[in-house]
C-alpha cells in the first residue's frame, strides 16, 4: 500500500518532540558544548526558540520520521483490517487470564484463614465439654497450623506485589509511554527518529542559539507583516481632510418649489 510522505511533524508526535527537547535542556550541563546554558540564554528562552523553529528542526530528521510514520500506519492498518485468530490472545504473555501462581497467592490466605477459624472454633468448643474428646487438641493444633500458613501466605503475597510494582515502575521509567506495547520494527523506527532528531536537529540548534542568538531566531519561519495582511471583506470609506487629494466638485443643490396662492383682486377679477 502506497502512502504519501509524512509531514514534518504530526500533532500526535509534537508532545514527543517537546519531551526530547526538555530532556536535552534538562541534561545540558552534561554536555560541554551546552555548558553556556544559563549564561547568555536560559532554558526557558532556548525552549521557546526551539518551539518556534519546530519545522526547521524536525526537517533534519525527515527521513527517519517518514519511516517511523509509515511503520506505525502499517501497524494500525493491520490492526484495523485483521481479526485476531481464535486462541491467539492465549499465546501472548500478559493477554491470558491470571496464572496459577497469582490464583494461589490470592486464594491461599483466604482458604488458610477460613480453615484456621473453623478448626480453632470447633477445637476450643470441644475442650469445653467434660470430659473433652481426644481429638479436640488435634483440631486446635490444626487450627494454629492453618493460622501460620495464612500469615506466611499474606507475607508472600505482599512481597510479590512489592517486587511487581518495582519492576513495572523501572520498566515504565526506562521506556517511553506505550513503548513496551510497540512491535520491534516500530520501536526501532521510533528510536532512530528520536536519535536523529536529537543529534541532527535539537542539539545543533541549541549550540547555534548559544553562539549567536540572533541567527537562531532568524531561522524561524517568517511571520506575515501586519501591513501585508490582505484585507478580507469590504473596505472602509476613505475620509480625507481639505488638503488631501483634489478638490471636490460642486455639490448639487436642491430648491424647494414655489407655492403661491391664487390671486384674488376683488369681484371683478375672478380666477379663470
Amino acid at each position: 500500500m502506497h502512502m504519501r510522505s509524512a509531514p514534518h511533524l504530526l500533532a500526535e508526535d509534537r508532545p514527543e518532540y517537546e519531551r526530547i527537547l526538555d530532556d536535552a535542556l534538562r541534561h545540558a550541563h552534561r554536555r560541554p558544548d551546552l555548558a553556556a546554558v544559563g549564561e547568555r540564554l536560559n532554558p526557558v528562552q532556548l525552549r521557546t526558540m526551539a518551539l518556534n523553529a519546530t519545522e526547521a528542526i524536525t526537517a533534519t530528521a525527515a527521513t527517519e520520521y517518514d519511516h517511523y510514520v509509515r511503520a506505525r500506519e502499517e501497524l494500525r492498518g493491520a490492526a484495523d483490517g485483521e481479526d485476531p485468530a481464535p486462541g491467539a490472545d492465549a499465546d501472548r504473555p500478559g493477554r491470558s487470564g491470571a496464572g496459577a501462581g497469582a490464583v494461589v497467592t490470592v486464594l491461599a490466605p483466604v482458604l488458610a484463614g477460613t480453615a484456621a477459624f473453623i478448626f480453632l472454633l470447633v477445637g476450643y468448643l470441644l475442650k469445653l465439654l467434660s470430659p473433652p474428646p481426644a481429638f479436640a487438641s488435634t483440631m486446635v493444633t490444626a487450627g494454629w497450623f492453618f493460622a501460620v500458613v495464612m500469615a506466611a501466605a499474606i507475607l508472600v503475597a505482599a512481597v510479590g506485589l512489592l517486587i511487581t510494582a518495582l519492576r513495572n515502575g523501572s520498566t515504565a521509567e526506562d521506556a517511553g509511554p506505550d513503548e513496551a506495547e510497540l512491535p520491534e520494527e516500530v520501536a526501532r523506527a521510533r528510536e532512530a527518529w528520536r536519535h536523529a532528531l536529537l543529534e541532527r536537529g535539537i542539539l545543533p540548534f541549541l549550540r547555534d542559539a548559544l553562539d549567536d542568538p540572533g541567527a537562531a531566531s532568524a531561522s524561524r519561519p517568517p511571520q506575515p507583516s501586519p501591513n501585508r495582511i490582505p484585507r478580507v471583506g469590504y473596505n472602509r470609506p476613505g475620509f480625507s481632510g481639505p488638503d488631501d487629494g483634489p478638490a471636490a466638485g460642486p455639490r448639487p443643490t436642491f430648491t424647494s418649489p414655489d407655492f403661491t396662492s391664487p390671486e384674488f383682486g376683488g369681484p371683478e377679477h375672478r380666477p379663470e
Side-chain angles (χ1 to χ4, degrees), residues 124-148:
Y124 280 112
L125 288 178
L126 291 176
K127 279 192 172 186
L128 295 177
L129 299 178
S130 180
F135 58 88
S137 299
T138 304
M139 297 192 67
V140 171
T141 303
W144 284 114
F145 170 77
F146 282 111
V148 173

Side-chain angles (χ1 to χ4, degrees), residues 133 207 220 233 250:
R207 288 193 293 264
R220 294 181 299 175

Side-chain angles (χ1 to χ4, degrees), residues 12 15 44 56 99 123 145 163 173 187 189 200 203 216-218 221 236 261 267:
E12 62 181 299
V44 177
F145 170 77
I163 294 175
E173 183 177 357
R200 298 204 304 262
L203 293 180
S217 299
R236 295 179 300 174
S261 59

